[in-house]
Every structure is written in structure tokens, then in C-alpha cells.
Amino acid sequence: GAGVSQSPSNKVTEKGKDVELRCDPISGHTALYWYRQSLGQGLEFLIYFQGNSAPDKSGLPSDRFSAERTGGSVSTLTIQRTQQEDSAVYLCASSAGQGNSNQPQHFGDGTRLSIL
Amino acid sequence: AQSVTQLDSHVSVSEGTPVLLRCNYSSSYSPSLFWYVQHPNKGLQLLLKYTSAATLVKGINGFEAEFKKSETSFHLTKPSAHMSDAAEYFCVVKDFNKFYFGSGTKLNVKP
């Protein structure tokens, strides 16, 4: 079956531009997560959506970062006025479970963002 | 909050020898635990998960992990390494709706 799909796979843009990254989760998965993985670093949590609940935005590093999830499915992560330190791989994951279920996350292949 | 410690940032083994990747976690109750693998330029792939049904968990590609509550450990093992196992491995704890990732262990397999 189809897994988590992210687009674009690579994005190169100039400093100061806005970028949008897209994530299509697995159909029926209610939970969706965004992470950032900088070179040689682990995964940094950014934001979490669960169904129709208010998202957990506690990991967003600045107000230049925002995300939305339309219709409980596709999600878009937007970075405004990009900076060079925003260069990283942005990973999206979805999960079927909520609460204390032991359902794992399923990851997309990520978007590699490079800021010139 | 939960935390996960992967004790080795790099592990190097020879092909055909055993693999041991160590993971310790902090938790006030019985956690949900996972191991993921990440190959270069790819997302994370689930290797196995601990569901509390059995302390020894078998995953894909011959990997296993043993949950030891008394030691708060969930080490990943494989009896015989293959060149294709070279990748980065992440130990993950789930606490309610959040997943907490270890810093990763890079596995190098020498011919």
C-alpha cells in the first residue's frame, strides 16, 4: 500500500524566501508529525496533529515556522523568510494510534532543504 | 517526560559477527518502545516494536531486541551482521502522543 509521501524531495532556495513542504500521510492515519533532522543530528520534534484537536506546536523553533493540516489529511509546513540555519531534512510521519496505543510512526523519505 | 539514551554514537563490526546496539530509557510506567533504521537519504523504517506481549521482540532483517524492565534497557541485537545493515539506528520511546528519539547509533560493517 501507499506509504507517507513528501514533496518536494529536494528544495534549494535563496535566503529570505518562503518555502512550503507537503506531506501526504497514510490514508486513515489520524496522527501526523513533523521533524527536522540537521546534518549529523538526531530528530528534532516540530509539530504534531491528532485528528481535529488543536495541534501541539511546542517544537516549532520560531514564529517563522507554521503548519496546517487540511481535512485531517494532507499537511503543509511553511517556513517564512528562510535562514541558512533552516537547511536540514524535514521528515513527516503518520500514525494510526492515539493516546497510549503502541502504534508506530511511519515516515516519509523527507524533504532536503538547502538555503543558499 | 521520557528520555532515551543510546550509549554508542558509532559501532563498527565485521561482516558475519554479532551486532549489539544499546539503548536505555527513562519511564515511570511500562513504555512503548521501538527501533528504527535510517539508510542514507531515506526516511526511518520500523525494525521492531515492544508491545508488552513478550520481552524478546523479533523484527525484520534478523534483528531482535530484549526489553529488560529492571535495567530499563531495550538493546538491539543481530547474530550476524551483513554489509546492508550499515545505517543509522534510532531507539524510540512513546509517551502518550509523543515519540522521544535517541541520538542515534551509526553502524559500520567492515568486509
Side-chain angles (χ1 to χ4, degrees), chain A:
Chain A
V4 177
S5 177
Q6 291 188 245
S7 61
S9 54
N10 288 280
K11 177 72 176 179
V12 181
T13 193
E14 294 179 346
K15 175 182 171 181
K17 301 286 189 183
D18 297 351
V19 295
E20 283 190 354
L21 312 180
R22 177 186 169 102
C23 174
D24 281 277
I26 293 173
S27 178
H29 279 192
T30 57
L32 187 148
Y33 302 77
W34 282 99
Y35 296 91
R36 180 168 67 177
Q37 188 174 31
S38 302
L39 188 63
Q41 303 294 314
L43 271 73
E44 176 188 6
F45 166 77
L46 296 177
I47 188 168
Y48 159 67
F49 296 89
Q50 176 63 57
N52 295 321
S53 302
D56 177 350
K57 304 180 182 180
S58 60
L60 294 178
S62 77
D63 59 7
R64 297 187 295 105
F65 287 72
S66 63
E68 61 179 25
R69 188 179 185 191
T70 53
S73 181
V74 172
S75 177
T76 302
L77 177 69
T78 301
I79 309 173
Q80 296 178 309
R81 305 181 303 281
T82 52
Q83 304 294 314
Q84 286 187 332
E85 61 263 28
D86 299 335
S87 296
V89 176
Y90 290 81
L91 291 166
C92 176
S94 70
S95 175
Q98 57 181 317
N100 280 327
S101 80
N102 57 21
Q103 292 298 315
Q105 294 178 309
H106 300 265
F107 283 83
D109 284 341
T111 294
R112 184 175 301 275
L113 177 64
S114 300
I115 309 300
L116 302 178

Side-chain angles (χ1 to χ4, degrees), chain B residues 45-64:
Chain B
Q45 179 186 15
L46 179 68
L47 276 179
L48 50 80
K49 66 179 183 181
Y50 168 68
T51 62
S52 77
T55 56
L56 184 61
V57 182
K58 293 185 183 298
I60 62 172
N61 301 335
F63 283 93
E64 296 182 343

Side-chain angles (χ1 to χ4, degrees), chain B residues 91-111:
Chain B
C91 181
V92 182
V93 172
K94 185 181 182 187
D95 176 12
F96 199 63
N97 288 324
K98 277 195 171 177
F99 291 80
Y100 296 85
F101 288 77
S103 54
T105 298
K106 289 186 178 175
L107 177 63
N108 177 45
V109 182
K110 299 175 288 186

